[in-house]
Amino acid sequence: MKGVESRWLFGLLFLSVLELTSCGLSYRKVESGEELSKAGMKPGLYEPEPIRPDFFGKSNKPKLKEDGYGEMPLGGANRLDLAEVKNYFPGTTIIENIGQEDGRPFKYYDIIKGTAGSVFIRMSSKNDKKVNRLFIFDKGVADVYGVKPGMTVKSAQRKRKGLSLVQDSGEQFLVAKRSKILYLIEENTENNSDDLKNRRIAALVWNGSSK
């Protein structure tokens, strides 16, 4: 997904209604006062809080796991709200807003480190405190299998055995059986479909429950 970080950041900050397509998910940002009122939510931009000096240190670099991201638990009965997002992502800008897919509004958080999107969290449309999917674009973050964004498909398959290719709404993923961690493959901008192994991982994806 070439330039996906900058496109998301631009759209979220400067456009009132934007069609976004990511990981098989097409939705529009909702900013209508009436729509937001019905959903009991409102858009907000939250500036960085003071960063802990050791948060991004080597020993504390968070990893994506089957049941969490760093110290943030995912799945099961775990719930997430804005206060917790701010606690888990200090030193970042957090955008909280509402997207819509097939008529169903859902809350999302866009976590921005520096000038680029680092993490995107989509909440369930049925429960706005339950994580549906989490995307990690930060190339400095690895999962428990050693896979990172920016890594080639060939390298990812070496790191983690048993990965297979699947397609969902025009997007391609590497997935493993009974795993909640999958990998979004970047778009093939050079129309070189036979050279999949040299394309790169665009994002680590934690896939939770149904919408």
Side-chain angles (χ1 to χ4, degrees), residues 6-209:
S6 59
R7 289 203 304 271
W8 277 15
L9 176 61
F10 179 83
L12 290 171
L13 293 178
F14 299 105
L15 297 183
S16 59
V17 176
L18 179 67
E19 287 292 334
L20 295 173
T21 301
S22 174
C23 299
L25 173 65
S26 178
Y27 63 88
R28 69 184 181 90
K29 180 180 175 184
V30 177
E31 286 192 345
S32 159
E34 182 179 352
E35 288 178 292
L36 293 174
S37 177
K38 287 180 180 178
M41 308 175 196
K42 63 180 181 179
L45 175 62
Y46 301 88
E47 294 299 335
E49 294 187 346
I51 186 170
R52 299 196 305 269
D54 62 345
F55 185 78
F56 290 113
K58 213 169 200 180
S59 61
N60 287 331
K61 198 71 174 179
K63 286 188 177 182
L64 181 63
K65 302 171 287 187
E66 293 285 349
D67 61 354
Y69 174 47
E71 298 177 354
M72 181 174 68
L74 295 167
N78 294 305
R79 297 294 180 263
L80 189 70
D81 59 21
L82 176 61
E84 291 170 319
V85 172
K86 293 169 73 175
N87 178 60
Y88 289 125
F89 297 94
T92 63
T93 297
I94 299 170
I95 297 173
E96 178 193 43
N97 217 314
I98 301 168
Q100 193 167 23
E101 180 191 22
D102 299 330
R104 295 172 295 183
F106 59 87
K107 181 181 287 188
Y108 66 80
Y109 301 99
D110 199 14
I111 293 93
I112 301 167
K113 186 171 68 175
T115 59
S118 176
V119 177
F120 183 88
I121 306 174
R122 175 200 159 129
M123 311 305 289
S124 168
S125 60
K126 298 177 182 178
N127 185 336
D128 67 7
K129 291 188 177 181
K130 185 175 183 180
V131 177
N132 174 257
R133 280 191 175 185
L134 179 144
F135 309 87
I136 299 174
F137 298 97
D138 189 337
K139 293 181 179 180
V141 174
D143 66 9
V144 291
Y145 305 102
V147 181
K148 295 181 177 182
M151 184 176 285
T152 63
V153 167
K154 183 178 180 179
S155 295
Q157 290 174 323
R158 284 177 177 172
K159 290 280 188 181
R160 186 178 182 188
K161 306 299 182 183
L163 292 173
S164 58
L165 180 69
V166 299
Q167 297 210 24
D168 180 17
S169 301
E171 303 285 0
Q172 291 183 306
F173 300 87
L174 290 176
V175 303
K177 290 183 179 179
R178 295 181 293 277
S179 175
K180 289 186 175 295
I181 299 177
L182 51 152
Y183 311 105
L184 172 65
I185 302 174
E186 67 180 8
E187 290 179 355
N188 185 6
T189 57
E190 298 179 359
N191 296 317
N192 193 5
S193 58
D194 294 330
D195 202 18
L196 175 67
K197 67 180 183 298
N198 290 326
R199 286 164 61 191
R200 297 187 180 277
I201 303 301
L204 307 180
V205 184
W206 184 86
N207 185 32
S209 59

